[in-house]
Amino acid sequence: MSERFCYRCGISESEGGPLIDGLCQVCFRKENPVLLIEGEINTELCQNCGSYKKRGVWVDPTTYELEELLFEVAENALLEALEESFGEGVREYEVVSPEELEEVSELPVGRAVVSFEPIDFHIEYFPAIITYRVRVKARIHELQRELHDETKNVTVYVRQTVCPRCQKFLGGYFEAILQVRAEGRPLTDEERRAIGKLVEEKVDEIMRRDRMGFIQDTIEKEEGLDFYMGSTSSARKLAQAIKDRFGGTISEAYELVGIDRQTSREVYRTSVSVRIPKFQKGDIVSDRKGNVYEVERVDGKGMDLRNLSTNQSEHRDWKTVKREGLDTVEYESSDAMVTSITPKEVQLMDMETYETYELEKPPMDLNEGDVYRIVEVEGRKYFLRRKG
């Protein structure tokens, strides 16, 4: 059988190894490079929030320390460029450290291993410039005796811009209004603080999934709070979080605000309303049967109540509250001193009028000489608690 020669350099097969498509081993690797990445890459970083594009979508960074952020953005751009920069023979690749790549000597056909490391950078001003040395080893043909081993310097330019979210935020954009009210009364200062803290916590959580979940503005009104939200979905999630914590109901209303120029569709602004229950800790309430209670706790699941006749704590979920017709009642309160105790009755003296009267002894510990807060509902008096 006659000797075959590389058609490019003329070396014989016995000297240059098995020919691949008429080329010796060296010429095959030269004619079929695997690292096709461009020498320069341009990417952008939002100058306001630090976000950058990842696979075409703006994402928040994992760090806000400037140097680390710049390298995060540059490396992301480099990795995305690498995905589209391998020759046709590479079907899969893996990124490893330079030290690990150095040890690679065998690979299956169609596989590449790549590493990169920064060799120079200038990040004192924008555009930030970071140069990487990129090295790849690969095997793309079964007759290859030696792996492709290619190195290229790639410079990444990180430029400043303003992401779409920040453009909208800076332009005063909002898509929905979250209105927080209480039924039949203004929000208390304590409720305002608790709701504000809850919203602040939840917005951070929401914005990890919804970049438009920002609060454009917060307006304190006499009757409650208004939060101007960047997205309707974030307003709905916050409304549900408030309902879960405080109870209440959620409703929505829609207002036509214009026409989208690109789609010609009507654009609506959503008002999401959360109305928390009117009940507060310390309220005196009664049900349809005339049982009188003091409200001990209100949350998203219902109310904890203390029955003033039995002195026992009871729980009512919100469905039961509605079914039993629990509602606040008018009452008068006064302070009275226990002057004597019998097995069935207690004599008290009103601390303001000094009048004395008797009540049925309640199922609670009483001491002569102690002063108690008394509430009167529909002509009947109840012990509330000891004073002092």
Side-chain angles (χ1 to χ4, degrees):
M1 186 175 180
S2 61
E3 182 91 58
R4 295 193 301 168
F5 299 88
C6 173
Y7 71 78
R8 187 173 183 273
C9 70
I11 194 171
S12 67
E13 192 169 22
S14 59
E15 293 180 276
L19 298 184
I20 305 174
D21 298 332
L23 295 168
C24 68
Q25 295 284 313
V26 174
C27 290
F28 175 76
R29 293 196 299 271
K30 288 182 179 179
E31 289 291 316
N32 298 276
V34 293
L35 187 58
L36 307 178
I37 192 169
E38 297 289 336
E40 293 185 355
I41 301 171
N42 288 284
T43 189
E44 294 179 325
L45 166 70
C46 179
Q47 64 189 28
N48 292 298
C49 69
S51 62
Y52 59 93
K53 276 188 178 181
K54 190 171 187 176
R55 301 185 187 279
V57 178
W58 286 92
V59 298
D60 292 319
T62 59
T63 178
Y64 290 94
E65 197 283 318
L66 183 58
E67 182 172 330
E68 294 179 10
L69 172 58
L70 290 170
F71 276 94
E72 178 182 337
V73 175
E75 289 182 10
N76 173 75
L78 179 62
L79 286 168
E80 290 191 358
L82 277 171
E83 288 183 2
E84 303 174 359
S85 68
F86 292 109
E88 293 181 0
V90 176
R91 296 190 295 271
E92 59 180 15
Y93 75 96
E94 179 185 5
V95 179
V96 299
S97 68
E99 294 76 20
E100 290 174 306
L101 182 62
E102 191 66 43
E103 300 297 322
V104 174
S105 58
E106 293 291 338
L107 287 171
V109 176
R111 183 171 177 80
V113 180
V114 62
S115 72
F116 58 86
E117 58 183 335
I119 57 173
D120 190 22
F121 56 89
H122 302 280
I123 58 175
E124 299 81 13
Y125 48 84
F126 285 92
I129 303 171
I130 304 175
T131 301
Y132 293 90
R133 177 178 290 117
V134 181
R135 184 183 178 189
V136 64
K137 289 184 178 182
R139 187 176 186 223
I140 62 173
H141 199 282
E142 59 185 0
L143 294 179
Q144 275 186 257
R145 288 184 173 177
E146 294 183 15
L147 299 178
H148 281 73
D149 190 344
E150 301 173 18
T151 302
K152 187 171 187 177
N153 290 348
V154 179
T155 300
V156 181
Y157 295 88
V158 182
R159 306 180 188 278
Q160 286 185 310
T161 188
V162 179
C163 71
R165 175 182 66 179
C166 288
Q167 289 177 359
K168 289 185 174 182
F169 180 79
L170 296 172
Y173 174 87
F174 64 96
E175 187 175 284
I177 304 173
L178 171 62
Q179 299 176 319
V180 187
R181 304 288 188 267
E183 181 185 349
R185 61 175 178 82
L187 291 177
T188 66
D189 290 343
E190 183 179 353
E191 287 170 334
R192 291 171 189 263
R193 287 192 296 270
I195 291 168
K197 183 179 180 182
L198 175 63
V199 167
E200 184 178 338
E201 293 171 353
K202 289 296 180 180
V203 163
D204 289 341
E205 180 182 317
I206 289 170
M207 286 188 65
R208 296 190 188 103
R209 303 181 184 90
D210 179 5
R211 283 177 44 79
M212 292 299 293
F214 59 80
I215 298 177
Q216 177 61 247
D217 198 5
T218 302
I219 305 296
E220 287 215 28
K221 295 187 174 181
E222 183 178 347
E223 63 273 21
L225 297 168
D226 286 355
F227 299 94
Y228 290 73
M229 305 298 302
S231 74
T232 301
S233 64
S234 63
R236 288 170 176 156
K237 289 175 183 176
L238 283 178
Q240 188 61 50
I242 293 170
K243 180 184 175 183
D244 290 344
R245 176 75 62 84
F246 297 93
T249 58
I250 299 174
S251 60
E252 293 189 11
Y254 309 94
E255 177 188 3
L256 178 64
V257 294
I259 304 294
D260 188 297
R261 295 180 181 178
Q262 294 181 337
T263 64
S264 298
R265 293 181 178 178
E266 295 178 337
V267 178
Y268 289 87
R269 181 163 292 146
T270 306
S271 293
V272 182
S273 177
V274 186
R275 194 168 293 276
I276 68 175
K278 61 182 174 182
F279 304 107
Q280 302 176 71
K281 181 180 178 180
D283 281 349
I284 304 300
V285 301
S286 69
D287 59 20
R288 290 194 182 97
K289 296 180 180 179
N291 297 310
V292 179
Y293 306 88
E294 180 191 21
V295 177
E296 295 184 315
R297 176 182 168 85
V298 181
D299 60 24
K301 297 179 180 179
M303 294 195 298
D304 291 338
L305 307 169
R306 182 167 65 90
N307 189 313
L308 296 187
S309 295
T310 65
N311 200 38
Q312 296 296 311
S313 292
E314 305 174 15
H315 179 77
R316 299 287 189 278
D317 60 37
W318 290 116
K319 287 184 179 179
T320 305
V321 168
K322 186 175 182 180
R323 185 174 65 249
E324 294 185 356
L326 277 162
D327 203 354
T328 54
V329 292
E330 293 185 1
Y331 66 93
E332 293 183 358
S333 62
S334 61
D335 295 335
M337 178 187 292
V338 174
T339 56
S340 68
I341 303 173
T342 69
K344 293 185 177 181
E345 288 188 339
V346 179
Q347 186 180 71
L348 300 106
M349 181 182 68
D350 188 290
M351 298 301 292
E352 185 175 346
T353 65
Y354 301 108
E355 294 180 357
T356 59
Y357 57 91
E358 289 77 31
L359 294 179
E360 181 181 342
K361 185 181 178 183
M364 60 189 298
D365 292 332
L366 299 174
N367 297 309
E368 292 184 2
D370 285 348
V371 177
Y372 293 82
R373 173 57 57 91
I374 306 296
V375 294
E376 183 175 346
V377 179
E378 295 183 353
R380 181 178 175 182
K381 291 183 168 65
Y382 301 87
F383 280 85
L384 194 59
R385 66 178 56 83
R386 186 169 63 86
K387 294 202 66 181

